[in-house]
Amino acid sequence: MTYSSTINDETFTDEATSTEQVSTPPIKLNKHENSYLLKQRNTFWFANPQMLYIFGTTPKSNFYLLGQTLLLLIAISAFFFTNFYAVFTYTETVVGLGDISGQTWLDRFTAFITIFIIFRANKHLKTNLKLKPIKGYQLTMLSNSMMRALINQLKLLLLIFIISAAYGLLEYQEISQVFSEILDGSFADNLGASCYLIGLIITYRAFRFCKKELV
C-alpha cells in the first residue's frame, strides 16, 4: 500500500490518501493450451517466419539447427535460381549481332532491390540479437523468410500460368497460341513489370519479421 497527500480546497490542509496496488494473477492454462504451446515450440518451421518470431525465444537443439542450416542452403540456391540466374544468363539472338544479353534496366533494378531487402533484413537481425542473443535465431529466421518468399513467388507464377492459359484458350482456341500474349507484345511487357513489382512486395513482406524487435 502506498500513501499520497492532497490539499483540501476549503481548509488548505494536507490530507493523506492511500492507494492500494493490485497485482494481476498469472493466467493459468489448461492442459489443451499447454499441449498446443509445447507443440508449437517444438515445430520445425520451414516457411513461417511469423510463428518463428512468436516462439523465437524457445531454445533449439543442435539437431534442429542442423536441419535449419540445410533448409537455408536449399532456400538460398532456389531463391538465387528463380530471382537472379535466369536474369543474368538470359540472352536474345539478334540478326547480325548474335547472342546479346536480354537484361533490361528493370531486371537489374529488381535484382538490386531484392538483394538490398535481404541485406537490410540480415542487418536488422544482427542488431536485434545484440540486445537479446538467441542461439540460432538469425539462421532460422533467414531460412524461413527466404522459403516464404520463394513459395509465394512460385504461387504467383502458377497463378499467371493458369490465368494466361485460360485466357489464351478462350481467345484463340488453339494450343499453339495459348501463351502468345504473355510471351510477346506490349501485354507481355506490362505483365512482366507487374510481376517484378509484386515479386518485390512478396520479398519485402516475407522478410518483415526480421526487423521486429525481440521481446
mmCIF file of all heavy atoms in Angstrom, residues 136-168:
data_model
loop_
_atom_site.group_PDB
_atom_site.id
_atom_site.type_symbol
_atom_site.label_atom_id
_atom_site.label_comp_id
_atom_site.label_asym_id
_atom_site.label_seq_id
_atom_site.Cartn_x
_atom_site.Cartn_y
_atom_site.Cartn_z
ATOM 1 N N GLY A 136 20.856 -19.472 -32.751
ATOM 2 C CA GLY A 136 20.290 -19.958 -33.998
ATOM 3 C C GLY A 136 19.135 -19.156 -34.563
ATOM 4 O O GLY A 136 18.579 -19.521 -35.600
ATOM 5 N N TYR A 137 18.771 -18.044 -33.909
ATOM 6 C CA TYR A 137 17.593 -17.286 -34.372
ATOM 7 C C TYR A 137 17.829 -16.649 -35.730
ATOM 8 O O TYR A 137 16.942 -16.645 -36.591
ATOM 9 C CB TYR A 137 17.233 -16.217 -33.341
ATOM 10 C CG TYR A 137 15.999 -15.422 -33.709
ATOM 11 C CD1 TYR A 137 14.728 -15.957 -33.512
ATOM 12 C CD2 TYR A 137 16.100 -14.141 -34.247
ATOM 13 C CE1 TYR A 137 13.595 -15.234 -33.835
ATOM 14 C CE2 TYR A 137 14.975 -13.416 -34.582
ATOM 15 C CZ TYR A 137 13.725 -13.964 -34.378
ATOM 16 O OH TYR A 137 12.605 -13.250 -34.715
ATOM 17 N N GLN A 138 19.017 -16.093 -35.934
ATOM 18 C CA GLN A 138 19.317 -15.438 -37.211
ATOM 19 C C GLN A 138 19.258 -16.438 -38.365
ATOM 20 O O GLN A 138 18.674 -16.169 -39.414
ATOM 21 C CB GLN A 138 20.696 -14.790 -37.152
ATOM 22 C CG GLN A 138 21.080 -14.045 -38.428
ATOM 23 C CD GLN A 138 22.441 -13.387 -38.316
ATOM 24 O OE1 GLN A 138 23.129 -13.524 -37.302
ATOM 25 N NE2 GLN A 138 22.843 -12.664 -39.339
ATOM 26 N N LEU A 139 19.842 -17.593 -38.170
ATOM 27 C CA LEU A 139 19.860 -18.624 -39.205
ATOM 28 C C LEU A 139 18.447 -19.096 -39.546
ATOM 29 O O LEU A 139 18.066 -19.172 -40.716
ATOM 30 C CB LEU A 139 20.717 -19.797 -38.733
ATOM 31 C CG LEU A 139 20.899 -20.987 -39.675
ATOM 32 C CD1 LEU A 139 22.274 -21.596 -39.465
ATOM 33 C CD2 LEU A 139 19.834 -22.055 -39.444
ATOM 34 N N THR A 140 17.657 -19.408 -38.530
ATOM 35 C CA THR A 140 16.309 -19.934 -38.769
ATOM 36 C C THR A 140 15.378 -18.889 -39.364
ATOM 37 O O THR A 140 14.545 -19.199 -40.210
ATOM 38 C CB THR A 140 15.706 -20.465 -37.453
ATOM 39 O OG1 THR A 140 15.755 -19.438 -36.446
ATOM 40 C CG2 THR A 140 16.484 -21.669 -36.949
ATOM 41 N N MET A 141 15.522 -17.625 -38.944
ATOM 42 C CA MET A 141 14.661 -16.579 -39.485
ATOM 43 C C MET A 141 14.975 -16.310 -40.955
ATOM 44 O O MET A 141 14.062 -16.117 -41.774
ATOM 45 C CB MET A 141 14.805 -15.300 -38.664
ATOM 46 C CG MET A 141 13.916 -14.147 -39.139
ATOM 47 S SD MET A 141 12.143 -14.552 -39.145
ATOM 48 C CE MET A 141 11.749 -14.404 -37.406
ATOM 49 N N LEU A 142 16.259 -16.300 -41.314
ATOM 50 C CA LEU A 142 16.631 -16.084 -42.711
ATOM 51 C C LEU A 142 16.142 -17.229 -43.597
ATOM 52 O O LEU A 142 15.626 -17.004 -44.690
ATOM 53 C CB LEU A 142 18.150 -15.940 -42.834
ATOM 54 C CG LEU A 142 18.752 -14.608 -42.395
ATOM 55 C CD1 LEU A 142 20.265 -14.649 -42.487
ATOM 56 C CD2 LEU A 142 18.199 -13.458 -43.233
ATOM 57 N N SER A 143 16.304 -18.462 -43.138
ATOM 58 C CA SER A 143 15.878 -19.611 -43.939
ATOM 59 C C SER A 143 14.363 -19.625 -44.123
ATOM 60 O O SER A 143 13.860 -19.882 -45.224
ATOM 61 C CB SER A 143 16.345 -20.913 -43.291
ATOM 62 O OG SER A 143 15.753 -21.089 -42.011
ATOM 63 N N ASN A 144 13.621 -19.334 -43.050
ATOM 64 C CA ASN A 144 12.163 -19.310 -43.149
ATOM 65 C C ASN A 144 11.674 -18.164 -44.021
ATOM 66 O O ASN A 144 10.714 -18.324 -44.785
ATOM 67 C CB ASN A 144 11.543 -19.201 -41.751
ATOM 68 C CG ASN A 144 11.366 -20.537 -41.075
ATOM 69 O OD1 ASN A 144 10.282 -21.068 -40.976
ATOM 70 N ND2 ASN A 144 12.473 -21.103 -40.612
ATOM 71 N N SER A 145 12.315 -17.012 -43.921
ATOM 72 C CA SER A 145 11.908 -15.862 -44.722
ATOM 73 C C SER A 145 12.166 -16.106 -46.202
ATOM 74 O O SER A 145 11.333 -15.773 -47.057
ATOM 75 C CB SER A 145 12.649 -14.607 -44.255
ATOM 76 O OG SER A 145 12.339 -14.304 -42.912
ATOM 77 N N MET A 146 13.315 -16.695 -46.519
ATOM 78 C CA MET A 146 13.629 -16.992 -47.915
ATOM 79 C C MET A 146 12.666 -18.022 -48.496
ATOM 80 O O MET A 146 12.206 -17.888 -49.633
ATOM 81 C CB MET A 146 15.068 -17.492 -48.031
ATOM 82 C CG MET A 146 16.105 -16.395 -47.958
ATOM 83 S SD MET A 146 17.746 -16.956 -48.444
ATOM 84 C CE MET A 146 18.635 -15.389 -48.456
ATOM 85 N N MET A 147 12.353 -19.045 -47.715
ATOM 86 C CA MET A 147 11.418 -20.064 -48.189
ATOM 87 C C MET A 147 10.021 -19.476 -48.370
ATOM 88 O O MET A 147 9.304 -19.837 -49.321
ATOM 89 C CB MET A 147 11.377 -21.237 -47.221
ATOM 90 C CG MET A 147 12.606 -22.129 -47.263
ATOM 91 S SD MET A 147 12.886 -22.881 -48.897
ATOM 92 C CE MET A 147 11.436 -23.926 -49.054
ATOM 93 N N ARG A 148 9.612 -18.585 -47.478
ATOM 94 C CA ARG A 148 8.301 -17.936 -47.613
ATOM 95 C C ARG A 148 8.235 -17.104 -48.884
ATOM 96 O O ARG A 148 7.247 -17.150 -49.627
ATOM 97 C CB ARG A 148 8.034 -17.074 -46.388
ATOM 98 C CG ARG A 148 6.813 -16.153 -46.483
ATOM 99 C CD ARG A 148 5.560 -16.920 -46.810
ATOM 100 N NE ARG A 148 5.266 -17.951 -45.837
ATOM 101 C CZ ARG A 148 4.265 -18.810 -45.957
ATOM 102 N NH1 ARG A 148 3.469 -18.757 -47.015
ATOM 103 N NH2 ARG A 148 4.063 -19.729 -45.041
ATOM 104 N N ALA A 149 9.297 -16.329 -49.165
ATOM 105 C CA ALA A 149 9.339 -15.527 -50.385
ATOM 106 C C ALA A 149 9.332 -16.420 -51.616
ATOM 107 O O ALA A 149 8.638 -16.140 -52.603
ATOM 108 C CB ALA A 149 10.575 -14.632 -50.381
ATOM 109 N N LEU A 150 10.088 -17.505 -51.581
ATOM 110 C CA LEU A 150 10.176 -18.418 -52.718
ATOM 111 C C LEU A 150 8.832 -19.068 -53.008
ATOM 112 O O LEU A 150 8.384 -19.121 -54.166
ATOM 113 C CB LEU A 150 11.235 -19.485 -52.430
ATOM 114 C CG LEU A 150 11.421 -20.561 -53.504
ATOM 115 C CD1 LEU A 150 11.939 -19.937 -54.793
ATOM 116 C CD2 LEU A 150 12.377 -21.638 -53.002
ATOM 117 N N ILE A 151 8.172 -19.572 -51.971
ATOM 118 C CA ILE A 151 6.880 -20.239 -52.159
ATOM 119 C C ILE A 151 5.834 -19.276 -52.701
ATOM 120 O O ILE A 151 5.060 -19.616 -53.606
ATOM 121 C CB ILE A 151 6.416 -20.863 -50.826
ATOM 122 C CG1 ILE A 151 7.315 -22.053 -50.458
ATOM 123 C CG2 ILE A 151 4.959 -21.311 -50.906
ATOM 124 C CD1 ILE A 151 7.011 -22.656 -49.106
ATOM 125 N N ASN A 152 5.794 -18.062 -52.171
ATOM 126 C CA ASN A 152 4.811 -17.088 -52.647
ATOM 127 C C ASN A 152 5.089 -16.660 -54.094
ATOM 128 O O ASN A 152 4.168 -16.397 -54.861
ATOM 129 C CB ASN A 152 4.796 -15.870 -51.732
ATOM 130 C CG ASN A 152 4.110 -16.150 -50.409
ATOM 131 O OD1 ASN A 152 3.326 -17.098 -50.293
ATOM 132 N ND2 ASN A 152 4.402 -15.355 -49.399
ATOM 133 N N GLN A 153 6.363 -16.581 -54.468
ATOM 134 C CA GLN A 153 6.691 -16.257 -55.855
ATOM 135 C C GLN A 153 6.277 -17.379 -56.802
ATOM 136 O O GLN A 153 5.789 -17.122 -57.909
ATOM 137 C CB GLN A 153 8.190 -15.984 -55.978
ATOM 138 C CG GLN A 153 8.609 -14.653 -55.382
ATOM 139 C CD GLN A 153 10.102 -14.418 -55.496
ATOM 140 O OE1 GLN A 153 10.847 -15.288 -55.946
ATOM 141 N NE2 GLN A 153 10.558 -13.242 -55.071
ATOM 142 N N LEU A 154 6.459 -18.616 -56.372
ATOM 143 C CA LEU A 154 6.017 -19.750 -57.188
ATOM 144 C C LEU A 154 4.493 -19.767 -57.322
ATOM 145 O O LEU A 154 3.958 -20.110 -58.380
ATOM 146 C CB LEU A 154 6.519 -21.059 -56.576
ATOM 147 C CG LEU A 154 8.041 -21.270 -56.612
ATOM 148 C CD1 LEU A 154 8.406 -22.576 -55.913
ATOM 149 C CD2 LEU A 154 8.551 -21.266 -58.042
ATOM 150 N N LYS A 155 3.799 -19.393 -56.266
ATOM 151 C CA LYS A 155 2.344 -19.287 -56.331
ATOM 152 C C LYS A 155 1.917 -18.218 -57.336
ATOM 153 O O LYS A 155 0.943 -18.400 -58.080
ATOM 154 C CB LYS A 155 1.770 -18.959 -54.951
ATOM 155 C CG LYS A 155 1.834 -20.105 -53.951
ATOM 156 C CD LYS A 155 1.235 -19.679 -52.619
ATOM 157 C CE LYS A 155 1.269 -20.812 -51.609
ATOM 158 N NZ LYS A 155 0.713 -20.379 -50.291
ATOM 159 N N LEU A 156 2.659 -17.113 -57.344
ATOM 160 C CA LEU A 156 2.360 -16.036 -58.298
ATOM 161 C C LEU A 156 2.541 -16.518 -59.728
ATOM 162 O O LEU A 156 1.696 -16.260 -60.598
ATOM 163 C CB LEU A 156 3.264 -14.835 -58.019
ATOM 164 C CG LEU A 156 3.186 -13.679 -59.021
ATOM 165 C CD1 LEU A 156 1.792 -13.066 -59.018
ATOM 166 C CD2 LEU A 156 4.240 -12.616 -58.698
ATOM 167 N N LEU A 157 3.640 -17.223 -59.999
ATOM 168 C CA LEU A 157 3.890 -17.743 -61.345
ATOM 169 C C LEU A 157 2.823 -18.754 -61.756
ATOM 170 O O LEU A 157 2.381 -18.769 -62.914
ATOM 171 C CB LEU A 157 5.272 -18.383 -61.397
ATOM 172 C CG LEU A 157 6.468 -17.439 -61.229
ATOM 173 C CD1 LEU A 157 7.771 -18.223 -61.240
ATOM 174 C CD2 LEU A 157 6.478 -16.380 -62.318
ATOM 175 N N LEU A 158 2.413 -19.586 -60.807
ATOM 176 C CA LEU A 158 1.365 -20.564 -61.106
ATOM 177 C C LEU A 158 0.041 -19.876 -61.422
ATOM 178 O O LEU A 158 -0.682 -20.275 -62.348
ATOM 179 C CB LEU A 158 1.186 -21.522 -59.925
ATOM 180 C CG LEU A 158 0.119 -22.603 -60.073
ATOM 181 C CD1 LEU A 158 0.423 -23.503 -61.260
ATOM 182 C CD2 LEU A 158 -0.010 -23.413 -58.787
ATOM 183 N N LEU A 159 -0.271 -18.818 -60.674
ATOM 184 C CA LEU A 159 -1.497 -18.068 -60.924
ATOM 185 C C LEU A 159 -1.466 -17.421 -62.298
ATOM 186 O O LEU A 159 -2.468 -17.460 -63.041
ATOM 187 C CB LEU A 159 -1.680 -17.005 -59.839
ATOM 188 C CG LEU A 159 -2.907 -16.098 -59.972
ATOM 189 C CD1 LEU A 159 -4.186 -16.915 -59.892
ATOM 190 C CD2 LEU A 159 -2.887 -15.015 -58.900
ATOM 191 N N ILE A 160 -0.339 -16.826 -62.673
ATOM 192 C CA ILE A 160 -0.205 -16.216 -64.003
ATOM 193 C C ILE A 160 -0.338 -17.267 -65.093
ATOM 194 O O ILE A 160 -0.975 -17.037 -66.133
ATOM 195 C CB ILE A 160 1.139 -15.478 -64.110
ATOM 196 C CG1 ILE A 160 1.149 -14.286 -63.157
ATOM 197 C CG2 ILE A 160 1.388 -15.006 -65.542
ATOM 198 C CD1 ILE A 160 2.482 -13.583 -63.097
ATOM 199 N N PHE A 161 0.240 -18.422 -64.868
ATOM 200 C CA PHE A 161 0.171 -19.511 -65.833
ATOM 201 C C PHE A 161 -1.282 -19.951 -66.064
ATOM 202 O O PHE A 161 -1.728 -20.107 -67.208
ATOM 203 C CB PHE A 161 1.005 -20.692 -65.338
ATOM 204 C CG PHE A 161 0.941 -21.897 -66.223
ATOM 205 C CD1 PHE A 161 1.779 -22.008 -67.320
ATOM 206 C CD2 PHE A 161 0.042 -22.917 -65.967
ATOM 207 C CE1 PHE A 161 1.727 -23.120 -68.146
ATOM 208 C CE2 PHE A 161 -0.027 -24.044 -66.785
ATOM 209 C CZ PHE A 161 0.815 -24.137 -67.885
ATOM 210 N N ILE A 162 -2.026 -20.105 -64.975
ATOM 211 C CA ILE A 162 -3.420 -20.554 -65.086
ATOM 212 C C ILE A 162 -4.278 -19.509 -65.786
ATOM 213 O O ILE A 162 -5.067 -19.825 -66.687
ATOM 214 C CB ILE A 162 -3.984 -20.875 -63.688
ATOM 215 C CG1 ILE A 162 -3.257 -22.087 -63.091
ATOM 216 C CG2 ILE A 162 -5.490 -21.150 -63.759
ATOM 217 C CD1 ILE A 162 -3.652 -22.390 -61.666
ATOM 218 N N ILE A 163 -4.123 -18.239 -65.370
ATOM 219 C CA ILE A 163 -4.917 -17.168 -65.979
ATOM 220 C C ILE A 163 -4.581 -17.014 -67.460
ATOM 221 O O ILE A 163 -5.469 -16.863 -68.307
ATOM 222 C CB ILE A 163 -4.690 -15.844 -65.231
ATOM 223 C CG1 ILE A 163 -5.234 -15.949 -63.802
ATOM 224 C CG2 ILE A 163 -5.352 -14.689 -65.970
ATOM 225 C CD1 ILE A 163 -4.987 -14.721 -62.962
ATOM 226 N N SER A 164 -3.298 -17.065 -67.787
ATOM 227 C CA SER A 164 -2.872 -16.916 -69.183
ATOM 228 C C SER A 164 -3.377 -18.071 -70.038
ATOM 229 O O SER A 164 -3.821 -17.878 -71.178
ATOM 230 C CB SER A 164 -1.345 -16.836 -69.259
ATOM 231 O OG SER A 164 -0.875 -15.752 -68.507
ATOM 232 N N ALA A 165 -3.320 -19.292 -69.501
ATOM 233 C CA ALA A 165 -3.800 -20.453 -70.246
ATOM 234 C C ALA A 165 -5.297 -20.355 -70.499
ATOM 235 O O ALA A 165 -5.782 -20.630 -71.607
ATOM 236 C CB ALA A 165 -3.464 -21.730 -69.489
ATOM 237 N N ALA A 166 -6.042 -19.945 -69.468
ATOM 238 C CA ALA A 166 -7.495 -19.818 -69.631
ATOM 239 C C ALA A 166 -7.835 -18.724 -70.643
ATOM 240 O O ALA A 166 -8.713 -18.904 -71.501
ATOM 241 C CB ALA A 166 -8.134 -19.512 -68.274
ATOM 242 N N TYR A 167 -7.143 -17.599 -70.551
ATOM 243 C CA TYR A 167 -7.392 -16.501 -71.493
ATOM 244 C C TYR A 167 -7.020 -16.902 -72.915
ATOM 245 O O TYR A 167 -7.754 -16.617 -73.870
ATOM 246 C CB TYR A 167 -6.585 -15.270 -71.078
ATOM 247 C CG TYR A 167 -6.673 -14.131 -72.063
ATOM 248 C CD1 TYR A 167 -7.778 -13.288 -72.083
ATOM 249 C CD2 TYR A 167 -5.635 -13.905 -72.980
ATOM 250 C CE1 TYR A 167 -7.853 -12.246 -72.990
ATOM 251 C CE2 TYR A 167 -5.719 -12.866 -73.884
ATOM 252 C CZ TYR A 167 -6.826 -12.042 -73.883
ATOM 253 O OH TYR A 167 -6.898 -11.010 -74.786
ATOM 254 N N GLY A 168 -5.897 -17.576 -73.071
ATOM 255 C CA GLY A 168 -5.465 -17.989 -74.402
ATOM 256 C C GLY A 168 -6.416 -18.975 -75.046
ATOM 257 O O GLY A 168 -6.706 -18.885 -76.248
#
